[in-house]
Amino acid sequence: MAGVGAIDSELLGGLFATVPMCAVWSDGARLQAMLDFEAALARVQSRLGVVPHAVGEAVAKAARAEFYDPAEIGRKVPLGGNVAIPLVKELTARVEGEAAGFVHWGATSQDVIDTGLMLQAREGLNLLRADLVRLGDACAALTSAHRATPMAGRTFLQQGLPTVFGLKTASWLESVERLILRIDGVIEQSLALQFGGAVGTLASLGPHGAQVRDELAVELKLHAPAVPWFTTRERIIEIGEAVGAVAGIMMKIAGEIVLMMQTEVGEVFEPAAPGKGGSSTMPHKRNPVGAATARAAALQAQARAAALHSTMDQPHERATGGWQAEWGLVPELFVLTAAALQPLVTVLEGLEVRADRMRENLEMTKGLVFAEAVMMKLAPKTGRAVAHHILEAASKLAIAEDRHLKDVLKADKAVTAHLDAREIDGVFDPLGYVGSADVFIDRALGSWRDARAEDVG
């Protein structure tokens, strides 16, 4: 069945999957995560005297994924409806001596599967976090290099006012930093042990249930919620929303790169490489293939994140459908998000910025992007409403007669009554009307530096 989906396709996997993230969510990793739960459970129960002392070592010895055939276990999954049932049977068969009778002691299938998922999610989140740090470093470098590179700020895809490219990348930087903080919060609060036995009471462990549960959480370095959470799945949603947010921001950044790479705009370009971005028929093309791949992967990832919300309706103490749907949605969400993030790291680390083209595009409107700047210069003398009316009329005249706004204003007595030619010329400096951009850039860069210093600490 390999190759049906884009993620595991030999043809498409290079676009929609990354090797490290696929390794985290592979069949072998899924088995190992569940076996890690079983080994930890046996160690804790042996240490507490709930089961014979030798059980912990015996189970841990057998709890290695390479001992088990995923295909063989998979053939048995439809009979029990989940992978834990055949896995526990094979684990029990491999454990030597009387210890075999204490495998999976007091646990249920969902304990194994949910906790295994949390262990895998922790690895996946840390992978995303590492790539986000690289992406943020690339954004910070661009922000520092282009804090004084003027360009057109665009609203509704049309030129609005002058800005600087460094402010745009600073906004990307702050989003990346917030994504990292969100991932950190999920790792701290949402990655939780699942251990409740048949219906969440751990009745089979008698008076030892709560203690075993608490010690098991410590053993696996997972949060221990007050009660088992079999059918209250907001933790899964919190993980999904954090990963989905990463995909969403990747789509946004990639989308802006695509727009700025348009022939008519030409302000940035993805780093060149032999054979990259070409067309099968148009030799001159330089396509934004990295950004396009990121957007395609992000779109698919967000569909999985949205679908996770619909799995929350899980009745009573065990689900019929919603829980099972998570088994495919969560891994695919992680893999697709990693595939959206990785190409953007490469793109931003080598992004070609055409500052000259940005300046040319600012001149495209023949000064109209400075209309507000002139209005605000004139407003203290005429009042804002009057100044707005004067500049609106002047802008329409400049468009109608295909003249530079500066020339129209110098011939307008309503303007020259308050501003001389030198003052008018001064308003048309792109870096003279970028407001607090420098301050905002400093704040974004400072926050990023502080956060990375905390990482090192």
Side-chain angles (χ1 to χ4, degrees):
M1 295 173 64
V4 174
I7 287 175
D8 59 357
S9 166
E10 291 185 358
L11 295 174
L12 301 176
L15 291 176
F16 300 122
T18 66
V19 172
M21 192 62 81
C22 283
V24 169
W25 295 100
S26 67
D27 285 341
R30 192 188 296 255
L31 291 178
Q32 189 60 63
M34 291 188 287
L35 290 167
D36 286 346
F37 167 86
E38 294 290 356
L41 175 63
R43 284 195 300 268
V44 167
Q45 291 176 329
S46 295
R47 190 164 63 239
L48 295 177
V50 176
V51 299
H53 181 72
V55 172
E57 183 178 348
V59 174
K61 184 179 178 182
R64 294 170 56 185
E66 61 262 33
F67 294 157
Y68 304 90
D69 181 2
E72 179 61 28
I73 292 174
R75 281 189 284 271
K76 299 172 183 176
V77 166
L79 294 175
N82 69 67
V83 70
I85 293 173
L87 177 61
V88 170
K89 286 182 179 179
E90 293 207 17
L91 173 62
T92 302
R94 184 169 284 274
V95 173
E96 299 176 354
E98 66 173 356
F102 296 93
V103 172
H104 197 64
W105 193 257
T108 192
S109 294
Q110 189 161 357
D111 293 328
V112 185
I113 293 171
D114 279 355
T115 302
L117 181 75
M118 289 291 171
L119 295 176
Q120 289 177 277
R122 181 165 60 199
E123 287 192 55
L125 288 167
N126 280 319
L127 278 181
L128 291 177
R129 190 188 193 281
D131 278 347
L132 283 169
V133 170
R134 279 188 61 191
L135 187 70
D137 283 340
C139 289
L142 288 167
T143 299
S144 295
H146 294 285
R147 62 185 306 146
T149 301
M151 68 176 297
R154 296 176 172 93
T155 63
F156 289 83
L157 296 181
Q158 299 184 37
Q159 292 195 15
L161 298 174
T163 184
V164 289
F165 184 55
L167 184 60
K168 180 183 288 291
T169 57
S171 73
W172 298 349
L173 176 62
E174 185 177 40
S175 289
V176 170
E177 184 178 349
R178 286 174 53 79
L179 291 172
I180 292 172
L181 289 173
R182 192 166 183 179
I183 286 175
D184 289 345
V186 167
I187 291 173
E188 179 68 25
Q189 298 294 331
S190 302
L191 297 184
L193 170 73
Q194 181 72 279
F195 186 53
V199 295
T201 63
L202 287 176
S204 60
L205 294 181
H208 305 292
Q211 185 182 12
V212 170
R213 186 169 177 273
D214 293 343
E215 291 288 332
L216 183 56
V218 173
E219 184 83 8
L220 293 171
K221 297 181 175 63
L222 292 172
H223 178 61
V227 297
W229 48 279
F230 289 135
T231 52
T232 52
R233 309 300 286 182
E234 73 280 358
R235 290 177 178 83
I236 300 295
I237 301 306
E238 288 163 1
I239 294 170
E241 287 178 340
V243 178
V246 174
I249 292 299
M250 296 311 104
M251 179 174 285
K252 181 266 193 302
I253 294 174
E256 293 198 1
I257 291 170
V258 169
L259 291 173
M260 287 191 288
M261 275 188 67
Q262 291 181 103
T263 305
E264 295 83 358
V265 180
E267 294 178 342
V268 301
F269 287 93
E270 292 188 1
K276 181 184 177 185
S279 164
S280 63
T281 184
M282 295 171 283
H284 66 284
K285 291 294 293 296
R286 186 171 176 182
N287 292 322
V289 292
T293 298
R295 284 177 62 79
L299 181 62
Q300 295 175 76
Q302 288 183 303
R304 271 66 170 185
L308 271 179
H309 280 272
S310 65
T311 69
M312 290 187 73
D313 183 17
Q314 300 187 16
H316 299 310
E317 283 67 53
R318 195 71 86 249
T320 54
W323 175 51
Q324 292 83 353
E326 294 170 1
W327 305 342
L329 290 172
V330 174
E332 290 175 1
L333 171 58
F334 271 87
V335 171
L336 287 164
T337 299
L341 173 54
Q342 189 177 71
L344 281 185
V345 172
T346 301
V347 167
L348 290 187
E349 285 180 341
L351 191 70
E352 295 181 21
V353 180
R354 302 290 178 85
D356 55 341
R357 183 64 172 173
M358 291 178 176
R359 193 67 176 249
E360 289 173 13
N361 287 339
L362 263 177
E363 296 297 324
M364 185 182 299
T365 64
K366 296 187 176 181
L368 290 178
V369 292
F370 297 95
E372 185 192 81
V374 180
M375 180 189 77
M376 296 307 294
K377 185 79 171 177
L378 195 59
K381 307 175 189 301
T382 65
R384 186 187 181 282
V386 172
H388 186 280
H389 176 75
I390 292 171
L391 266 297
E392 184 178 31
S395 298
K396 289 179 178 178
L397 181 61
I399 294 171
E401 296 183 355
D402 193 25
R403 295 166 62 196
H404 198 286
L405 179 61
K406 185 192 303 185
D407 297 330
V408 173
L409 294 174
K410 288 180 178 179
D412 189 335
K413 293 181 180 179
V415 175
T416 57
H418 304 284
L419 302 175
D420 60 30
R422 182 184 57 80
E423 289 176 303
I424 294 172
D425 286 338
V427 176
F428 286 80
D429 173 14
L431 293 178
Y433 199 70
V434 293
S436 299
D438 253 353
V439 175
F440 298 151
I441 286 171
D442 283 339
R443 288 176 179 175
L445 289 172
S447 180
W448 180 255
R449 285 192 297 267
D450 290 346
R452 303 292 66 78
E454 287 182 16
D455 280 352
V456 174

